Amino acid sequence: MCLQPRSHIEVRYYDGRTFPFADGEFDCVIMVDMLHHSVDIEQMIREACRVSRRYVLIKDHYWDTSFDLVGLRVADYLGNAPYGVSLPYNYLRLEEWARLFHRHNLKAASMDTYRRHPLDPCKHIVAKLRAAES
């Protein structure tokens, strides 16, 4: 796997399981549209909690119906397969997101769901979560 050849911010390679940062190194960890590409979402949340002092901000997708799930998979494949992005199609329902946050002692400071357009096949969730120590 190669890193982004050009980036306006530093990009670090990591093993997909352990973030290359110290405990409590950041005030906020932001995870945007990446958890559904992870084989082990629990591990990624544990790592976000480990390196964050205060907040974990998550923007990802959710589904309610099998139609939603098919739409997410098609959109994910079309947008990512040409670039070799891992596609485990690991989407959660809203209640699964809530249980995940609870298991990791993350308290919602705010949470919202939306669709960009009525024809958008993707339902989005944005959650600002307080880490256990904040």
Side-chain angles (χ1 to χ4, degrees):
M1 161 124 8
C2 85
L3 295 174
Q4 292 291 334
R6 295 183 305 174
S7 177
H8 296 288
I9 59 171
E10 179 185 358
V11 177
R12 291 190 194 178
Y13 178 81
Y14 84 108
D15 63 8
R17 293 198 51 81
T18 305
F19 294 167
F21 304 105
D23 295 0
E25 189 164 337
F26 303 100
D27 284 328
C28 181
V29 172
I30 301 171
M31 305 171 92
V32 178
D33 290 338
M34 55 84 60
L35 288 171
H36 67 271
H37 292 285
S38 302
V39 175
D40 189 348
I41 292 176
E42 295 277 348
Q43 175 65 19
M44 295 296 95
I45 295 294
R46 273 192 295 278
E47 281 297 288
C49 291
R50 180 183 67 79
V51 301
S52 176
R53 286 186 297 270
R54 300 189 63 205
Y55 295 102
V56 175
L57 178 66
I58 294 173
K59 189 285 182 194
D60 215 290
H61 304 292
Y62 74 95
W63 66 282
D64 290 315
T65 68
S66 46
F67 180 75
D68 295 338
L69 195 53
V70 169
L72 281 169
R73 288 178 179 209
V74 168
D76 211 4
Y77 179 83
L78 293 174
N80 292 295
Y83 304 101
V85 174
S86 172
L87 295 169
Y89 304 114
N90 205 353
Y91 309 107
L92 303 179
R93 293 175 175 259
L94 286 176
E95 59 270 15
E96 292 172 309
W97 282 113
R99 285 194 300 267
L100 177 72
F101 301 155
H102 179 75
R103 280 194 303 276
H104 294 278
N105 201 23
L106 293 166
K107 308 290 185 221
S110 66
M111 191 160 19
D112 195 19
T113 61
Y114 68 94
R115 238 183 176 144
R116 291 188 188 134
H117 184 276
L119 298 178
D120 180 2
C122 302
K123 291 181 176 178
H124 307 271
I125 180 172
V126 178
K128 179 183 177 185
L129 307 158
R130 285 187 197 90
E133 285 74 40
S134 60

